[in-house]
Amino acid sequence: MAKIALITGATAGIGEACAHVFAREGYNLILTGRRRERLESLASAINNQYNVEVAIASFDVRNRQAVIDNLNNLPDQWKKVDVLINNAGLSQGLDPIQNGDASDWDTMIDTNIKGLLYASRVVSNWMIENGYGHIINIGSIAGKEVYPNGNVYCATKHAVDALNKGMRLDLLPHGIKVTAVHPGAVETEFSEVRFKGDKDRAKKVYEGFEPLVAQDVAETIWFAASRPAHVNINELTVMPTAQAGATSIFRKNL
Ligand code: NDP
Ligand code: 8X3
């Protein structure tokens, strides 16, 4: 029977790339995100390209009841999830703490921390019942270092780092694998979302060096997911060759 991967935030960027990589590897997919039309077109692209089955569930990870209902409403055969990729996340704003927008803070905390918890709460119990499973949490270099004006986003990703370690400890007796993948700069819709649609400002983030693309991160996630049963990758940090730390990017011709 084909394995199953559940990917949160599959409508763009790293989540969408994971959908292609895991489908290529023969996984049936549960794809989630808020933008239903994107989920539908991704599902149809995957159905055309790979011989796998795709289920979609459109909900906002900040809405606890919606997470619980949408996941629990999946048919039982879809609850045999082998890999949960906790990827849905975002940054909003890049301002000093004293000027921060409290609603941006709420959005980041509710999405990056609480949304990840809500999905993990449901799916980890399926995994315990199934007797197997692997949770892969998408953190960030922002969860390893703090950079100026990154304050709350960095705090949410430090929380993901802590939750990854906590899940690993708590799920240890159940044989469930837990991994964090911490990317550096990846050119996706991330910066456009952070700068609220300001495409010029978003583009500047990736100027003068070759950033990662979503596929690079998806292949790293696949590496962690495809180790033998007795091997758990606790965490991986992956960044562009031109980046050595959150604030250390070597840019040419600027
Ligand atoms: P994108 O903006 O391209 O994709 C973000 C995904 O998250 C979308 O599918 C979006 O779906 C989903 N999402 C956001 N908010 C919600 C929500 N409230 N409910 C459900 N889904 C949501 O960004 P990336 O692919 O770059 O980001 C993916 C993850 O990688 C995030 O956790 C991010 O923090 C992390 N990351 C990104 C890096 C980068 O440089 N790009 C580096 C390090 C980590 P929709 O809007 O349809 O709901
Ligand atoms: C995204 C990477 O450096 O913008 O998590 O925080 S960074």
Side-chain angles (χ1 to χ4, degrees):
M1 218 177 75
K3 290 186 174 180
I4 298 174
L6 192 168
I7 303 169
T8 68
T11 58
I14 294 167
E16 183 179 0
C18 284
H20 282 277
V21 166
F22 278 74
R24 179 193 75 198
E25 301 298 336
Y27 275 63
N28 291 336
L29 301 174
I30 305 167
L31 305 177
T32 78
R34 288 168 299 181
R35 288 168 288 182
R36 187 167 189 93
E37 66 293 347
R38 285 206 186 193
L39 292 175
E40 283 167 352
S41 60
L42 177 59
S44 120
I46 285 184
N47 279 326
N48 288 337
Q49 230 175 313
Y50 314 95
N51 187 24
V52 299
E53 290 174 28
V54 183
I56 60 174
S58 163
F59 57 87
D60 188 326
V61 291
R62 291 173 296 177
N63 182 334
R64 178 154 50 113
Q65 201 54 49
V67 175
I68 293 169
D69 290 346
N70 275 279
L71 295 181
N72 281 332
N73 285 342
L74 288 164
D76 282 347
Q77 70 269 22
W78 282 104
K79 294 178 182 159
K80 306 282 181 203
V81 169
D82 294 271
V83 180
L84 165 64
I85 305 177
N86 273 323
N87 165 75
L90 81 179
S91 183
Q92 291 272 268
L94 187 65
D95 301 303
I97 200 82
Q98 63 274 22
N99 299 340
D101 178 329
S103 75
D104 287 346
W105 297 349
D106 287 343
T107 302
M108 290 186 276
I109 291 166
D110 290 351
T111 309
N112 300 356
I113 305 177
K114 291 163 76 178
L116 177 144
L117 283 169
Y118 299 154
S120 301
R121 177 74 168 78
V122 174
V123 178
S124 61
N125 278 290
W126 296 348
M127 288 176 168
I128 289 169
E129 196 168 314
N130 297 337
Y132 57 80
H134 190 172
I135 299 177
I136 303 184
N137 296 307
I138 308 308
S140 171
I141 187 60
K144 293 289 173 184
E145 298 176 36
V146 179
Y147 52 83
N149 303 330
N151 43 64
V152 175
Y153 178 67
C154 293
T156 66
K157 289 299 184 177
H158 276 69
V160 173
D161 189 31
L163 288 170
N164 185 68
K165 290 171 180 152
M167 285 183 199
R168 175 97 175 97
L169 291 167
D170 295 349
L171 296 171
L172 185 65
H174 302 285
I176 293 167
K177 296 190 188 196
V178 181
T179 298
V181 173
H182 298 291
V186 195
E187 190 164 10
T188 60
E189 294 174 15
F190 176 85
S191 292
E192 260 183 73
V193 171
R194 167 172 255 174
F195 300 129
K196 302 178 179 173
D198 184 339
K199 286 187 197 294
D200 291 337
R201 192 173 175 198
K203 209 161 177 275
K204 283 197 172 60
V205 173
Y206 310 105
E207 264 176 19
F209 74 106
E210 186 174 353
L212 297 177
V213 293
Q215 174 86 11
D216 297 319
V217 182
E219 296 291 358
T220 305
I221 293 166
W222 171 246
F223 173 80
S226 57
R227 294 309 85 209
H230 68 289
V231 178
N232 187 81
I233 305 281
N234 290 352
E235 58 181 292
L236 284 169
T237 303
V238 53
M239 48 177 67
T241 304
Q243 180 176 22
T247 54
S248 183
I249 295 182
F250 185 73
R251 296 175 198 263
K252 283 186 187 154
N253 307 321
L254 283 185

